[in-house]
Amino acid sequence: MTENISVIDEKFILHPSGAIYWEKRSKLMISDIHLGKITHFRKFGMAIPSQAIYKNFQLLQKTIDYFNPQEVIFLGDLFHSSLNREWDLFENFIKANSISFILVMGNHDIISMGKYKNLGINIYEKLVYDTFLLTHFPEEKDGYFNFSGHIHPAVKLKGMGKQSLKLPCFYKKKNQIILPAFGEFTGSFVMKKTSKVEVFAIANDKVIKI
């Protein structure tokens, strides 16, 4: 179940994968997939099932099929670090989808830009569409609404007893929304819920406004 929000009279759809779909421009925004991280962990002995490697690609394809966008914009940290065998899976994924792809550079994106360009992926430090600013690091700029990632936001919910639950979330302020990490095994950072912030948690394949 998705959640719709309106920003500067434009409709955006929050998806339980952690993606945001910009309806008017048919753009799908995704942040912090960290492809290659699972293979990296397995190489150093962490007991992660090999099937987990494919989950990111399956979720990517499922989300793209749901919205059928004209363009996908990765808001940084597409790959976790250096090349490994997940790059071959990524190449196959890109070639299987006849749409445009853009990468807004993140701090983990250290792979040669030529590798992306050979796949037809355009690369930017940041993107500006009218009054919308798309970056990896959260950025506040007068007159703009910022879409970003990097932080992997989460919210902690507490029950009547001592139990608590941490959920990934979209963290929306007046002029900014921070996307949750899209990828598996990425970790998260608990953000404060204040009266000036809207929080949309992700739980059981639903986006829920807290």
Side-chain angles (χ1 to χ4, degrees), residues 70-83:
Q70 294 179 3
E71 187 168 65
V72 173
I73 302 174
F74 298 113
L75 295 179
D77 289 0
L78 175 54
F79 253 78
H80 182 66
S81 56
S82 55
L83 285 173

Side-chain angles (χ1 to χ4, degrees), residues 33-36 74 76-84 86-87 90-91 94-95 101-124:
I33 305 180
H34 289 269
L35 295 175
F74 298 113
D77 289 0
L78 175 54
F79 253 78
H80 182 66
S81 56
S82 55
L83 285 173
N84 56 38
E86 286 186 49
W87 179 264
F90 179 66
E91 280 192 341
I94 294 297
K95 292 174 182 178
F101 291 91
I102 285 177
L103 171 60
V104 176
M105 292 291 292
N107 53 300
H108 278 272
D109 293 308
I110 62 172
I111 293 174
S112 167
M113 297 300 99
K115 297 285 288 185
Y116 291 109
K117 290 178 180 178
N118 287 341
L119 289 175
I121 299 174
N122 294 314
I123 302 166
Y124 298 90

Side-chain angles (χ1 to χ4, degrees), residues 12-60:
F12 295 86
I13 303 173
L14 312 184
H15 189 266
S17 64
I20 295 181
Y21 180 63
W22 189 350
E23 188 174 73
K24 182 178 179 179
R25 293 181 182 253
S26 189
K27 296 181 186 295
L28 185 66
M29 293 179 276
I30 295 170
S31 190
D32 297 276
I33 305 180
H34 289 269
L35 295 175
K37 187 173 185 177
I38 295 172
T39 297
H40 178 78
F41 282 172
R42 282 174 53 82
K43 179 181 177 181
F44 288 95
M46 188 170 289
I48 302 174
S50 60
Q51 300 94 314
I53 293 171
Y54 301 95
K55 284 188 176 180
N56 285 327
F57 294 100
Q58 291 167 351
L59 183 58
L60 264 173

Side-chain angles (χ1 to χ4, degrees), residues 125-193:
E125 291 292 329
K126 60 183 66 177
L127 286 171
V128 176
Y129 298 101
D130 299 325
T131 54
F132 296 98
L133 173 65
L134 280 58
T135 60
H136 175 63
F137 299 99
E139 183 175 325
E140 296 187 15
K141 186 175 181 180
D142 288 344
Y144 290 88
F145 187 92
N146 175 227
F147 291 87
S148 64
H150 181 63
I151 294 177
H152 305 191
V155 61
K156 182 173 284 188
L157 305 178
K158 296 181 180 180
M160 296 297 290
K162 294 183 179 181
Q163 73 272 30
S164 65
L165 179 65
K166 185 170 74 168
L167 298 171
C169 71
F170 298 90
Y171 191 79
K172 183 178 180 294
K173 298 191 286 187
K174 181 180 179 181
N175 294 313
Q176 181 182 79
I177 188 167
I178 304 172
L179 280 69
F182 189 94
E184 291 276 313
F185 298 98
T186 53
S188 59
F189 180 77
V190 174
M191 307 286 280
K192 290 183 178 180
K193 175 73 171 73

